[in-house]
Amino acid sequence: MTSLFNLHGKDIISVLDFDKELIEEIFSVAYIMEKYAKSIGPSLLKGKIMASLFFEPSTRTRLSFEAAMYRLGGNVIGFTSAEASSVAKGETLSDTIKTVENYCDCIVLRHPAEGAAKLAAEISNVPVINAGSGAQEHPTQALLDIYTIKRELGKVDGLEIGIVGDLKYGRTVHSLVYALSLFDVNLSFVSPPSLRLRDEIEEDLRKRGVKFKYYEDIEKITPNLDVIYVVRIQKERFPDPAEYLRVKGSYKITSSIISKAKPKCIILHPLPRVDEISLDVDSHPQAKYFIQTFYGLCIRMALLSMILADEEDLKQLFCNSG
Ligand code: NCD
């Protein structure tokens, strides 16, 4: 139980800061939170304020963090774009953080610059949670992705996991592969050649002894997979629009592909979807990307309470649920 408090007052910047034990601990708290995620939960965060500072668009990440706070009795302040903040007048991120930390107990930050969350955490006196730092990382998404696998398939170790799409610019992919490197899984990376993993991430995975292979065609390996994780082409991150046009629409998960999958194979996607999963896939029992958004709420309820809640209250909740 000691590690239940390992996150108290801490930042969440990179998945590389986690070990497997802490991830399992977060999953145990998220599991308890499932029963409170659909109505008012325990008042673990009463009187606490979360600032959500979103300098890039978001639906699920922002709304699930905010809902998590409200479900646990807390409050939320924030803005949803740079234009709605003093950044539009030329304020720096550093000045914004030095101001906002006076108004809240934690900051959830999404920013287009890689390293933004790390910088904010260095400046801030309140915990900072990275809700997406450019194309670099999205650690809470990786936690909810793996939690979904665990809840839907009962385990993570031993699985064959295919990751399909924009491996180069997809920050959810980067956090996910680092988090999965803590588990015993086989990874199949499926993408057009120009959207393969960045060299430095590939190198890190090799150093960590992760088993992975590259493919270009999802159909060939579909029958082997337990999980197919799809990510959209990250149009906004391409420095050259011509490069985007060359790969646009280059992969799509269809009902015909699903028909070749194992009956228990699950299809995940961090969302938003553009055209990489056809709409008729939604009605297949293997499509789990909407329940994945629910698990995201539970994970964020777990993280916020482990970071902010009074230790005695959290311990009590844990014991009462045992
Ligand atoms: C992702 C993101 O913002 O990186 N969305 C999310 O947080 N669920 C994926 C994406 O935008 O493609």
Side-chain angles (χ1 to χ4, degrees), residues 56-61 110 131-132 134 137-138 141 144 170-172 229 231-234 236-237 269-273 300:
E56 280 190 339
S58 172
T59 297
R60 279 146 290 270
T61 306
R110 170 169 287 188
E137 270 228 48
H138 192 347
Q141 180 71 40
L144 81 88
R171 59 188 170 200
T172 69
Y229 183 93
V231 67
R232 83 184 159 92
I233 298 185
Q234 310 281 302
E236 69 279 20
R237 309 258 181 242
H269 192 308
L271 301 176
R273 152 175 61 185
R300 288 168 178 140

Side-chain angles (χ1 to χ4, degrees), residues 49-55 61-63 65-66 75-81 100 104 106-110 131:
I49 297 176
M50 178 189 92
S52 68
L53 311 187
F54 278 68
F55 292 87
T61 306
R62 184 174 68 81
L63 295 183
F65 264 114
E66 296 188 2
N75 287 294
V76 177
I77 56 172
F79 49 77
T80 57
S81 68
V100 173
C104 63
C106 79
I107 293 172
V108 175
L109 176 72
R110 170 169 287 188

Side-chain angles (χ1 to χ4, degrees), residues 86-106:
S86 283
V87 170
K89 301 179 186 171
E91 186 166 67
T92 61
L93 176 63
S94 155
D95 285 1
T96 304
I97 298 296
K98 281 183 200 157
T99 305
V100 173
E101 67 172 357
N102 295 304
Y103 307 148
C104 63
D105 301 287
C106 79

